[in-house]
Amino acid sequence: MQFGNVEAEIEFFASLVKADGWLKGDHIDLGLYLIRKRQQQLEEVEISDWTTTDVFFMNHIHTCFADNKRKKEQVGWKIRTSLVNVVNGKVSACGLDWQNTYKVYVPCMLQKYKHWVALEIDLIQCEIKVYDSMVSLIPDQSLTEELGPLSITIPNLLHTLDFYEEGVYANECTQDWWCPWPIHRVDVPQQANQGDCGMFVLKYIELLSAEISLANCTSQNMPFFRLKLAVEIARGDAYMP
């Protein structure tokens, strides 16, 4: 089965439904695409308060940060078109212009620990919230260091685009948005094994975006959520959460 650039073959589905199976970026991206697609298909949703990026967004962030990290001033940052297209809603598929949202959910692989976490970029509070299914794995200081490029790049990206100068965000930000954005961990249900972090990321984002409690986001329910996602991918549409 072909979904854009992703080829979902037997191995793809086998690793998805396997208990404690590790999810790859393709699994995450397809799951989030179906969530965004369902969002756009709801007739009553004319403007939503959220959208998501794809997995590769964090690669763009790190590249942009590396391009500009020697600059001592924020004015004049070089921002690649790839990042501008994300903010404008041109990528990912079924994404929204950030000017029409308040929150942006981001799947993030913490490379040093090979661990998936979900991030929420809050465009009003000007902060980054971390939904981590295994907080015991990564000390707070290490987490802050890993996400430092995002904390610094986001305000510079938005400054370059005059994001807070016009439209729905004029005078809306609650703090000095041009400073590095603070990073906060959120208390969330934890995984009980080593391989479920990717599924937790998908469920965190799906439930948070639908304003549904995370109470059922547990390791015991992950086998069902895996099967549900496999069926959704096969049919090309996501069920309601």
Side-chain angles (χ1 to χ4, degrees):
M1 303 176 70
Q2 189 76 32
F3 299 91
N5 296 324
V6 178
E7 224 175 61
E9 298 182 341
I10 293 177
E11 183 180 349
F12 174 94
F13 286 101
S15 59
L16 172 57
V17 301
K18 179 183 177 183
D20 199 18
W22 176 261
L23 295 195
K24 297 181 180 179
D26 286 348
H27 294 115
I28 304 289
D29 277 343
L30 273 180
L32 292 178
Y33 162 70
L34 293 178
I35 293 171
R36 294 192 304 271
K37 179 183 176 185
R38 180 184 63 205
Q39 172 198 32
Q40 290 197 357
Q41 288 175 337
L42 296 176
E43 294 182 2
E44 63 270 23
V45 178
E46 295 181 2
I47 179 170
S48 178
D49 65 352
W50 64 272
T51 190
T52 85
T53 71
D54 58 19
V55 168
F56 208 72
F57 173 74
M58 288 301 295
N59 296 70
H60 295 314
I61 289 290
H62 284 284
T63 300
C64 182
F65 180 75
D67 288 343
N68 295 280
K69 65 181 178 181
R70 291 187 176 88
K71 292 182 180 291
K72 295 183 179 180
E73 296 181 0
Q74 293 173 327
V75 176
W77 262 50
K78 177 184 177 183
I79 304 295
R80 298 193 178 201
T81 303
S82 56
L83 269 181
V84 175
N85 287 340
V86 174
V87 176
N88 291 338
K90 296 180 180 179
V91 292
S92 306
C94 296
L96 295 179
D97 188 328
W98 288 17
Q99 280 282 355
N100 294 333
T101 68
Y102 298 118
K103 301 173 184 177
V104 180
Y105 294 103
V106 179
C108 176
M109 164 68 76
L110 299 176
Q111 294 295 337
K112 182 178 179 180
Y113 297 89
K114 302 301 178 186
H115 177 62
W116 290 107
V117 296
L119 308 177
E120 179 188 304
I121 300 174
D122 190 320
L123 297 169
I124 294 293
Q125 298 296 326
C126 297
E127 63 182 12
I128 298 166
K129 298 174 184 175
V130 183
Y131 298 86
D132 182 1
S133 61
M134 191 177 283
V135 296
S136 61
L137 178 66
I138 307 172
D140 289 344
Q141 182 61 34
S142 297
L143 180 69
T144 300
E145 290 174 0
E146 283 239 16
L147 297 179
L150 180 66
S151 169
I152 295 170
T153 302
I154 284 295
N156 284 285
L157 167 64
L158 300 180
H159 171 76
T160 301
L161 300 178
D162 294 327
F163 191 81
Y164 288 102
E165 302 300 322
E166 57 185 21
V168 297
Y169 280 101
N171 302 315
E172 285 290 338
C173 191
T174 61
Q175 64 179 16
D176 294 338
W177 60 266
W178 53 85
C179 299
W181 286 15
I183 299 168
H184 304 294
R185 256 189 176 132
V186 180
D187 186 21
V188 292
Q190 298 290 285
Q191 66 188 86
N193 53 38
Q194 297 298 314
D196 273 343
C197 56
M199 272 307 307
F200 269 87
V201 164
L202 284 172
K203 294 310 295 183
Y204 287 155
I205 294 176
E206 180 177 35
L207 296 175
L208 288 167
S209 63
E211 300 184 356
I212 296 175
S213 168
L214 299 181
N216 290 326
C217 192
T218 64
S219 288
Q220 290 85 350
N221 290 334
M222 286 301 144
F224 167 76
F225 291 144
R226 287 173 177 273
L227 288 172
K228 176 175 177 284
L229 179 57
V231 172
E232 290 172 334
I233 292 174
R235 72 194 290 265
D237 286 296
Y239 295 107
M240 295 302 292

